[in-house]
Structure formats: C-alpha cells, structure tokens
Amino acid sequence: MSIDQTSQPVKPLRIAVLVSGSGSNLQVLIDAMQAGALPIEIVGVISNRDDAYAVTRAKDAGIEVAVLSHVESGKRMGIKTFEKHATAQLEAWQPDLVVLAGFMRVLSADFIDNAPAPMINLHPSLLPAYKGLDTHTRVLCSGEREHGCSIHVVTAELDAGQVLSQAVLPIRHTDTPDSLQKRVQVLEHQLLPWTILQIAIGGVSLTPSEQASSILPALPLRLLIDA
Ligand code: GRF
C-alpha cells in the first residue's frame, strides 16, 4: 500500500485506460500497479482495435478488456456506436480517472462532457505546439531545438485542454522521426506514471478552480529527462 506525505494510506485510484496500439504505456502502468509502485487499480481497458497488442497485455495481466472495434455485420464501428458502448462500460467500471494512452480516435464533446470521470491524454509534443498527428516529423521540419510529450486534460477541442505535465528532451542533429519517436517514448514511460502518481496524491489537480486556489506549482509541471 502506498503512503502519502502525511503518512496516510492512499486509496488506489481506479483507472480505465483507452488504447489503440502497442500498449507500451499501458504496460508501464500494469507493471507499476503490480509492483505496488503506484496507488492505482486498472479497472478495465477499452480498445477500438481488436488487433491492438495492448489487448494482449491487458488480458495477460488479468484486466477486464472491452474491444469495441466492429459491429455485428462486420463493419468498423462508427464513433457514435463506440461512444455508446464505451459509456456503458465506463459506467459499469466506475473509474476515478480515464487515461487515453495511445488512443487514436477523436471523441465527441458529448462523450467527453458526460464521461463518468475526468479524462487525461498523453500527447507526443510539447503542447500547445504540435497538436494532432505526425508530431516528430513536423518538429524536425521546423528546426525545433526541444521536443517531448505532454499530459493534458481532455476537452472537446483536440489536444487543447489544460496541460498538466511535460517531459522535455533536446533534439540532436542526428535525430530522425524514428529516433525521436523512440526517445520521446522513453519520456512517456516516465511522465505517465509520475503524473498519475501526482493526481493520486493530490500533487496536481484536474479542475480549474482547484488549480487556481492551489499552493502547488503552476502547471504544467515539467520533467527534464535524459533520453
Ligand atoms: C505514444 O507514443 C503516444 O505518444 C501516441 O501513441 C503512442 C502510444 O504508444 N499518442 P503505446 O501504444 O503506449 O505503445
């Protein structure tokens, strides 16, 4: 069991994770949960792809998985249908926090506003710069000197919610989109669990009113990581 700064036991944060791909970030959370290194309980994983390796990772860890990829006729599930099933699933799991970790569908304002828990997203750029896709290529083409990743609150506007935390690296003259992707992923694997730990122990708040009245450092919190 984890202990906060006042030595009180921390109630595990119930987390639902939405994924679309490899799930390496999900694996980091699974490993930390199983090691007792993070006060979380992953109550379920939702994937919009049946071929996502994240599904295998979740099942191997004995975590409940909902794959919402196709309708009965075999067609790919439309976003409205996905959201209807995802809402029902989240309501059943009752998470405290929904984590989008490599989840590659754009969610509607209606779904986000009515979600049963706050949502955070992991994005591979130093927001507000480079919202959207292909961030590593765009960063290199623009001649940036720094790059990294951000965790932000999910709002209806894409990649535009309050940025909670960022991890930063210096771009090397030898970097390619592929090398940057790998280096940023090293950052992601530290930023995501660290940020969730901050949320769990009250080191960062998700609501604007609490953020405004907080004695804690102004957001985003920034980590400099050598990757
Ligand atoms: C991450 O690199 C994230 O930045 C992007 O999708 C990737 C997900 O990786 N949005 P994984 O599925 O956690 O391995």
Side-chain angles (χ1 to χ4, degrees), residues 189-212:
H189 292 169
Q190 296 176 55
L191 188 68
L192 184 61
W194 182 78
T195 304
I196 290 174
L197 175 64
Q198 295 307 314
I199 293 169
I201 66 174
V204 65
S205 164
L206 299 176
T207 57
S209 57
E210 283 179 25
Q211 286 157 3

Side-chain angles (χ1 to χ4, degrees), residues 70-142:
H70 289 80
V71 290
E72 272 167 27
S73 64
K75 278 197 210 148
R76 187 164 178 256
M77 200 178 269
I79 191 66
K80 284 284 160 223
T81 312
F82 172 88
E83 290 181 343
K84 190 178 85 174
H85 290 296
T87 297
Q89 195 59 78
L90 292 175
E91 282 170 358
W93 287 336
Q94 294 279 301
D96 301 314
L97 181 70
V98 178
V99 179
L100 309 189
F103 180 71
M104 300 306 287
R105 289 202 81 165
V106 176
L107 297 165
S108 73
D110 193 42
F111 178 80
I112 293 163
D113 293 344
N114 294 299
M119 262 186 254
I120 59 171
N121 180 47
L122 172 62
H123 181 77
S125 81
L126 297 174
L127 291 171
Y130 303 99
K131 295 172 181 165
L133 299 173
D134 298 325
T135 57
H136 310 303
T137 304
R138 288 158 56 212
V139 160
L140 279 178
C141 288
S142 301

Side-chain angles (χ1 to χ4, degrees), residues 19-26 54 57 101-104 121-124 136 149 181 184-185 188-189:
V19 294
S20 301
S22 141
S24 65
N25 284 283
L26 169 67
R57 294 183 194 268
F103 180 71
M104 300 306 287
N121 180 47
L122 172 62
H123 181 77
H136 310 303
C149 53
Q181 188 269 332
V184 168
Q185 198 151 52
E188 293 176 354
H189 292 169

